[in-house]
């Protein structure tokens, strides 16, 4: 059974803009675990105040797992994945996507990803300019996150295991 959560951002710079239509998007949220210790990749976005996980849209008929692999490679450079577990959870979230300047109605599918090793490819200049990558210990992730829907995904998945 799939659990569904709903959230609408009503305050701050990413609050829904009432004068704009919504663009719907299916997306993954990848919580990427280090291969040898109990830490997770967290991103600090450079053009907003967002602190969260690897996130990206599911393209066309792409599977959730394929979207996870592609987004991790694009956003972090890590290329060897040991396992992907997509949780039976959907976070339906309405917010203003600051970088794209659109209202977004996103349907986030969270996944736990465990890396096989730390082998990476170089990031594109575009990706380097979007965010900084940090390894955050599991016990500190909730405090690091500053986006409500990402906090709820963390609580409903990793913290309930």
């Amino acid at each position: 059974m799939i659990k569904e959560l709903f959230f609408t951002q009503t305050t701050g710079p990413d609050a829904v803009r009432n004068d704009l239509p919504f663009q719907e998007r299916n997306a993954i949220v990848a919580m990427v675990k280090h291969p040898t210790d109990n830490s997770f990749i967290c991103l600090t976005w450079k053009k907003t105040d967002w602190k969260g996980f690897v996130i990206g849209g599911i393209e066309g008929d792409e599977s959730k797992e394929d979207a996870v692999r592609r987004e991790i490679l694009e956003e972090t450079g890590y290329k060897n994945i040991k396992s992907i577990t997509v949780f039976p959870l959907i976070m339906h979230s309405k917010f203003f996507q600051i970088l794209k300047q659109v209202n977004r109605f996103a349907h986030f599918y969270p996944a736990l990803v465990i890396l096989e090793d730390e082998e990476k490819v170089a990031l594109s200049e575009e990706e380097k300019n979007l965010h900084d990558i940090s390894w955050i210990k599991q016990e500190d992730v909730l405090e690091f996150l500053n986006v409500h829907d990402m906090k709820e995904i963390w609580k409903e998945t990793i913290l309930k295991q």
Side-chain angles (χ1 to χ4, degrees):
M1 183 163 152
I2 295 176
K3 182 173 185 172
E4 296 186 66
L5 301 174
F6 298 84
F7 176 71
T8 300
Q9 185 68 38
T10 58
T11 61
D14 51 353
V16 167
R17 305 298 200 271
N18 292 327
D19 58 330
L20 295 175
F22 283 94
Q23 292 182 359
E24 275 196 73
R25 183 89 161 138
N26 290 321
I28 57 88
V29 174
M31 296 168 285
V32 181
K33 189 171 185 197
H34 193 275
T36 61
D37 68 31
N38 205 22
S39 62
F40 287 80
I41 288 177
C42 291
L43 304 178
T44 301
W45 294 86
K46 294 179 179 181
K47 296 179 182 175
T48 71
D49 69 344
W50 298 336
K51 291 183 177 183
F53 301 113
V54 173
I55 299 172
I58 300 170
E59 304 297 337
D61 61 355
E62 183 177 48
S63 71
K64 294 174 188 81
E65 293 81 4
D66 286 344
V68 164
R69 284 183 193 89
R70 178 180 47 75
E71 290 293 341
I72 290 170
L73 186 62
E74 287 175 8
E75 292 188 14
T76 71
Y78 289 101
K79 58 187 245 177
N80 298 323
I81 294 173
K82 181 178 180 178
S83 66
I84 299 172
T85 303
V86 177
F87 290 96
L89 173 71
I90 305 171
M91 168 60 83
H92 304 283
S93 186
K94 291 182 176 180
F95 58 95
F96 181 69
Q97 214 290 1
I98 296 168
L99 301 175
K100 309 276 186 195
Q101 292 291 297
V102 298
N103 273 337
R104 189 59 51 87
F105 185 20
H107 310 287
F108 290 120
Y109 296 88
L112 169 61
V113 179
I114 301 173
L115 294 178
E116 181 72 36
D117 55 40
E118 294 182 75
E119 188 175 347
K120 293 174 73 169
V121 297
L123 292 179
S124 70
E125 286 304 312
E126 179 184 5
E127 287 296 333
K128 287 180 188 176
N129 292 329
L130 288 178
H131 47 71
D132 291 320
I133 300 168
S134 302
W135 285 103
I136 305 294
K137 294 286 185 195
Q138 180 171 338
E139 60 269 17
D140 298 326
V141 169
L142 190 59
E143 185 178 322
F144 175 88
L145 300 171
N146 70 349
V147 182
H148 176 81
D149 45 8
M150 295 302 108
K151 286 184 176 215
E152 292 306 309
I153 286 172
W154 181 255
K155 289 177 191 175
E156 289 291 326
T157 58
I158 305 303
L159 293 185
K160 286 196 173 181
Q161 286 192 341

Short mmCIF file of all heavy atoms in Angstrom, two decimals, residues 117-151:
data_model
loop_
_atom_site.label_atom_id
_atom_site.label_comp_id
_atom_site.label_asym_id
_atom_site.label_seq_id
_atom_site.Cartn_x
_atom_site.Cartn_y
_atom_site.Cartn_z
N ASP A 117 30.66 2.23 -4.08
CA ASP A 117 31.97 2.78 -3.75
C ASP A 117 31.92 4.29 -3.97
O ASP A 117 30.86 4.84 -4.22
CB ASP A 117 33.06 2.11 -4.59
CG ASP A 117 32.80 2.21 -6.09
OD1 ASP A 117 32.32 3.27 -6.56
OD2 ASP A 117 33.07 1.23 -6.81
N GLU A 118 33.07 4.94 -3.90
CA GLU A 118 33.12 6.40 -4.03
C GLU A 118 33.63 6.85 -5.40
O GLU A 118 34.00 8.01 -5.57
CB GLU A 118 33.99 6.99 -2.93
CG GLU A 118 33.40 6.79 -1.55
CD GLU A 118 34.24 7.41 -0.46
OE1 GLU A 118 34.20 8.65 -0.35
OE2 GLU A 118 34.94 6.67 0.24
N GLU A 119 33.59 5.96 -6.38
CA GLU A 119 34.05 6.33 -7.72
C GLU A 119 33.11 7.35 -8.34
O GLU A 119 31.89 7.18 -8.30
CB GLU A 119 34.15 5.09 -8.61
CG GLU A 119 34.80 5.37 -9.94
CD GLU A 119 34.99 4.12 -10.79
OE1 GLU A 119 34.85 3.00 -10.26
OE2 GLU A 119 35.28 4.28 -11.97
N LYS A 120 33.72 8.41 -8.91
CA LYS A 120 32.94 9.51 -9.46
C LYS A 120 33.43 9.89 -10.85
O LYS A 120 34.57 9.61 -11.20
CB LYS A 120 33.08 10.76 -8.58
CG LYS A 120 32.48 10.68 -7.22
CD LYS A 120 32.80 11.91 -6.40
CE LYS A 120 32.02 13.10 -6.87
NZ LYS A 120 32.11 14.25 -5.96
N VAL A 121 32.55 10.58 -11.57
CA VAL A 121 32.94 11.27 -12.80
C VAL A 121 32.89 12.76 -12.49
O VAL A 121 32.24 13.19 -11.53
CB VAL A 121 32.02 10.92 -13.98
CG1 VAL A 121 32.10 9.44 -14.31
CG2 VAL A 121 30.58 11.34 -13.71
N ALA A 122 33.55 13.56 -13.31
CA ALA A 122 33.55 15.00 -13.10
C ALA A 122 32.16 15.57 -13.38
O ALA A 122 31.47 15.13 -14.30
CB ALA A 122 34.57 15.66 -14.02
N LEU A 123 31.78 16.55 -12.57
CA LEU A 123 30.50 17.22 -12.77
C LEU A 123 30.63 18.27 -13.86
O LEU A 123 31.69 18.87 -14.04
CB LEU A 123 30.05 17.92 -11.48
CG LEU A 123 29.66 17.03 -10.30
CD1 LEU A 123 29.26 17.90 -9.12
CD2 LEU A 123 28.53 16.10 -10.67
N SER A 124 29.52 18.53 -14.54
CA SER A 124 29.51 19.61 -15.52
C SER A 124 29.61 20.95 -14.78
O SER A 124 29.30 21.04 -13.58
CB SER A 124 28.20 19.57 -16.32
OG SER A 124 27.11 19.96 -15.50
N GLU A 125 30.04 21.97 -15.48
CA GLU A 125 30.11 23.30 -14.88
C GLU A 125 28.73 23.76 -14.42
O GLU A 125 28.60 24.40 -13.38
CB GLU A 125 30.73 24.31 -15.86
CG GLU A 125 32.22 24.13 -16.04
CD GLU A 125 33.00 24.19 -14.73
OE1 GLU A 125 32.78 25.11 -13.91
OE2 GLU A 125 33.84 23.29 -14.50
N GLU A 126 27.71 23.44 -15.20
CA GLU A 126 26.34 23.81 -14.83
C GLU A 126 25.95 23.22 -13.48
O GLU A 126 25.42 23.91 -12.61
CB GLU A 126 25.36 23.34 -15.90
CG GLU A 126 23.91 23.65 -15.59
CD GLU A 126 22.93 23.09 -16.62
OE1 GLU A 126 23.35 22.37 -17.54
OE2 GLU A 126 21.74 23.38 -16.47
N GLU A 127 26.24 21.94 -13.27
CA GLU A 127 25.91 21.29 -12.00
C GLU A 127 26.74 21.87 -10.86
O GLU A 127 26.24 22.08 -9.77
CB GLU A 127 26.11 19.78 -12.08
CG GLU A 127 25.05 19.06 -12.89
CD GLU A 127 23.65 19.14 -12.31
OE1 GLU A 127 23.47 19.29 -11.08
OE2 GLU A 127 22.70 19.06 -13.11
N LYS A 128 28.02 22.13 -11.10
CA LYS A 128 28.88 22.71 -10.06
C LYS A 128 28.34 24.06 -9.59
O LYS A 128 28.50 24.42 -8.42
CB LYS A 128 30.30 22.90 -10.59
CG LYS A 128 31.09 21.64 -10.73
CD LYS A 128 32.48 21.98 -11.27
CE LYS A 128 33.27 20.76 -11.63
NZ LYS A 128 34.57 21.10 -12.23
N ASN A 129 27.71 24.80 -10.50
CA ASN A 129 27.17 26.12 -10.17
C ASN A 129 25.82 26.07 -9.47
O ASN A 129 25.35 27.09 -8.98
CB ASN A 129 27.07 26.98 -11.43
CG ASN A 129 28.43 27.35 -11.98
OD1 ASN A 129 29.39 27.49 -11.22
ND2 ASN A 129 28.53 27.48 -13.29
N LEU A 130 25.19 24.90 -9.42
CA LEU A 130 23.86 24.78 -8.82
C LEU A 130 23.89 24.55 -7.32
O LEU A 130 23.07 25.08 -6.58
CB LEU A 130 23.07 23.65 -9.48
CG LEU A 130 22.56 23.90 -10.89
CD1 LEU A 130 21.85 22.66 -11.41
CD2 LEU A 130 21.63 25.10 -10.92
N HIS A 131 24.81 23.68 -6.86
CA HIS A 131 24.77 23.28 -5.45
C HIS A 131 26.12 22.77 -4.97
O HIS A 131 26.98 22.42 -5.76
CB HIS A 131 23.71 22.21 -5.22
CG HIS A 131 23.77 21.09 -6.22
ND1 HIS A 131 24.78 20.16 -6.25
CD2 HIS A 131 22.96 20.76 -7.24
CE1 HIS A 131 24.59 19.31 -7.23
NE2 HIS A 131 23.49 19.66 -7.86
N ASP A 132 26.25 22.77 -3.65
CA ASP A 132 27.40 22.15 -3.00
C ASP A 132 26.94 20.82 -2.43
O ASP A 132 25.80 20.68 -1.96
CB ASP A 132 27.93 23.03 -1.86
CG ASP A 132 28.56 24.31 -2.38
OD1 ASP A 132 29.28 24.25 -3.40
OD2 ASP A 132 28.35 25.37 -1.76
N ILE A 133 27.85 19.85 -2.44
CA ILE A 133 27.55 18.50 -1.95
C ILE A 133 28.24 18.31 -0.60
O ILE A 133 29.42 18.60 -0.46
CB ILE A 133 28.05 17.45 -2.95
CG1 ILE A 133 27.37 17.64 -4.31
CG2 ILE A 133 27.84 16.04 -2.42
CD1 ILE A 133 28.02 16.84 -5.43
N SER A 134 27.47 17.80 0.37
CA SER A 134 28.03 17.50 1.70
C SER A 134 27.61 16.09 2.11
O SER A 134 26.52 15.64 1.77
CB SER A 134 27.48 18.47 2.75
OG SER A 134 27.76 19.79 2.42
N TRP A 135 28.50 15.43 2.84
CA TRP A 135 28.14 14.17 3.50
C TRP A 135 27.73 14.53 4.92
O TRP A 135 28.53 15.08 5.67
CB TRP A 135 29.32 13.20 3.51
CG TRP A 135 29.57 12.58 2.18
CD1 TRP A 135 30.55 12.90 1.29
CD2 TRP A 135 28.82 11.53 1.58
NE1 TRP A 135 30.46 12.11 0.17
CE2 TRP A 135 29.39 11.26 0.31
CE3 TRP A 135 27.69 10.80 1.97
CZ2 TRP A 135 28.90 10.28 -0.54
CZ3 TRP A 135 27.20 9.83 1.11
CH2 TRP A 135 27.79 9.57 -0.12
N ILE A 136 26.48 14.22 5.28
CA ILE A 136 25.94 14.55 6.59
C ILE A 136 25.64 13.24 7.34
O ILE A 136 24.99 12.34 6.79
CB ILE A 136 24.64 15.39 6.46
CG1 ILE A 136 24.89 16.65 5.60
CG2 ILE A 136 24.08 15.74 7.82
CD1 ILE A 136 25.83 17.66 6.19
N LYS A 137 26.11 13.16 8.57
CA LYS A 137 25.82 11.97 9.39
C LYS A 137 24.31 11.80 9.55
O LYS A 137 23.58 12.79 9.68
CB LYS A 137 26.47 12.11 10.78
CG LYS A 137 27.98 12.11 10.74
CD LYS A 137 28.49 10.72 10.47
CE LYS A 137 30.00 10.67 10.53
NZ LYS A 137 30.52 9.46 9.93
N GLN A 138 23.85 10.56 9.57
CA GLN A 138 22.42 10.28 9.63
C GLN A 138 21.74 11.02 10.77
O GLN A 138 20.66 11.58 10.59
CB GLN A 138 22.16 8.77 9.76
CG GLN A 138 20.67 8.46 9.81
CD GLN A 138 20.36 6.98 9.74
OE1 GLN A 138 21.17 6.20 9.24
NE2 GLN A 138 19.19 6.60 10.20
N GLU A 139 22.37 11.07 11.92
CA GLU A 139 21.73 11.71 13.08
C GLU A 139 21.63 13.23 12.92
O GLU A 139 20.90 13.88 13.67
CB GLU A 139 22.44 11.35 14.39
CG GLU A 139 23.90 11.75 14.45
CD GLU A 139 24.88 10.69 13.96
OE1 GLU A 139 24.48 9.73 13.26
OE2 GLU A 139 26.08 10.83 14.27
N ASP A 140 22.33 13.81 11.94
CA ASP A 140 22.31 15.26 11.73
C ASP A 140 21.49 15.69 10.51
O ASP A 140 21.34 16.89 10.26
CB ASP A 140 23.73 15.79 11.58
CG ASP A 140 24.57 15.55 12.83
OD1 ASP A 140 24.00 15.60 13.95
OD2 ASP A 140 25.79 15.30 12.70
N VAL A 141 21.01 14.73 9.71
CA VAL A 141 20.32 15.08 8.46
C VAL A 141 19.07 15.91 8.71
O VAL A 141 18.87 16.94 8.06
CB VAL A 141 19.98 13.82 7.63
CG1 VAL A 141 19.04 14.15 6.48
CG2 VAL A 141 21.25 13.16 7.11
N LEU A 142 18.23 15.52 9.65
CA LEU A 142 16.98 16.25 9.87
C LEU A 142 17.24 17.70 10.23
O LEU A 142 16.56 18.61 9.74
CB LEU A 142 16.15 15.56 10.96
CG LEU A 142 14.72 16.08 11.11
CD1 LEU A 142 13.92 15.92 9.83
CD2 LEU A 142 14.03 15.35 12.25
N GLU A 143 18.26 17.94 11.02
CA GLU A 143 18.62 19.31 11.38
C GLU A 143 19.17 20.08 10.18
O GLU A 143 18.95 21.28 10.05
CB GLU A 143 19.66 19.31 12.51
CG GLU A 143 20.00 20.68 13.02
CD GLU A 143 20.99 20.62 14.17
OE1 GLU A 143 20.90 19.70 15.00
OE2 GLU A 143 21.87 21.51 14.21
N PHE A 144 19.88 19.40 9.28
CA PHE A 144 20.44 20.03 8.09
C PHE A 144 19.34 20.49 7.13
O PHE A 144 19.41 21.59 6.58
CB PHE A 144 21.39 19.06 7.38
CG PHE A 144 21.92 19.59 6.08
CD1 PHE A 144 23.07 20.35 6.05
CD2 PHE A 144 21.27 19.32 4.89
CE1 PHE A 144 23.57 20.85 4.86
CE2 PHE A 144 21.76 19.81 3.68
CZ PHE A 144 22.91 20.58 3.67
N LEU A 145 18.34 19.64 6.91
CA LEU A 145 17.29 19.93 5.94
C LEU A 145 16.52 21.18 6.34
O LEU A 145 16.24 21.40 7.52
CB LEU A 145 16.31 18.76 5.85
CG LEU A 145 16.90 17.42 5.41
CD1 LEU A 145 15.86 16.32 5.57
CD2 LEU A 145 17.42 17.48 3.99
N ASN A 146 16.14 22.00 5.35
CA ASN A 146 15.34 23.18 5.67
C ASN A 146 14.11 23.33 4.77
O ASN A 146 13.50 24.38 4.72
CB ASN A 146 16.19 24.46 5.62
CG ASN A 146 16.62 24.83 4.22
OD1 ASN A 146 16.46 24.06 3.28
ND2 ASN A 146 17.17 26.02 4.07
N VAL A 147 13.76 22.27 4.06
CA VAL A 147 12.59 22.26 3.20
C VAL A 147 11.59 21.26 3.81
O VAL A 147 11.93 20.09 4.01
CB VAL A 147 12.96 21.88 1.75
CG1 VAL A 147 11.75 21.93 0.85
CG2 VAL A 147 14.06 22.81 1.23
N HIS A 148 10.37 21.74 4.09
CA HIS A 148 9.39 20.95 4.82
C HIS A 148 9.13 19.57 4.20
O HIS A 148 9.13 18.56 4.90
CB HIS A 148 8.07 21.71 4.95
CG HIS A 148 7.00 20.93 5.62
ND1 HIS A 148 6.92 20.81 6.99
CD2 HIS A 148 5.98 20.18 5.11
CE1 HIS A 148 5.89 20.04 7.30
NE2 HIS A 148 5.31 19.65 6.18
N ASP A 149 8.89 19.53 2.88
CA ASP A 149 8.53 18.24 2.29
C ASP A 149 9.70 17.25 2.35
O ASP A 149 9.51 16.06 2.55
CB ASP A 149 7.97 18.37 0.87
CG ASP A 149 8.74 19.31 -0.03
OD1 ASP A 149 9.82 19.78 0.35
OD2 ASP A 149 8.23 19.58 -1.14
N MET A 150 10.93 17.74 2.26
CA MET A 150 12.09 16.85 2.37
C MET A 150 12.23 16.32 3.81
O MET A 150 12.58 15.17 4.02
CB MET A 150 13.38 17.56 1.95
CG MET A 150 13.41 17.96 0.48
SD MET A 150 13.22 16.58 -0.67
CE MET A 150 11.56 16.91 -1.30
N LYS A 151 11.94 17.17 4.80
CA LYS A 151 11.97 16.72 6.19
C LYS A 151 10.94 15.61 6.41
O LYS A 151 11.22 14.61 7.08
CB LYS A 151 11.67 17.88 7.14
CG LYS A 151 12.81 18.84 7.30
CD LYS A 151 12.46 19.90 8.34
CE LYS A 151 13.65 20.80 8.57
NZ LYS A 151 13.77 21.24 9.93
#
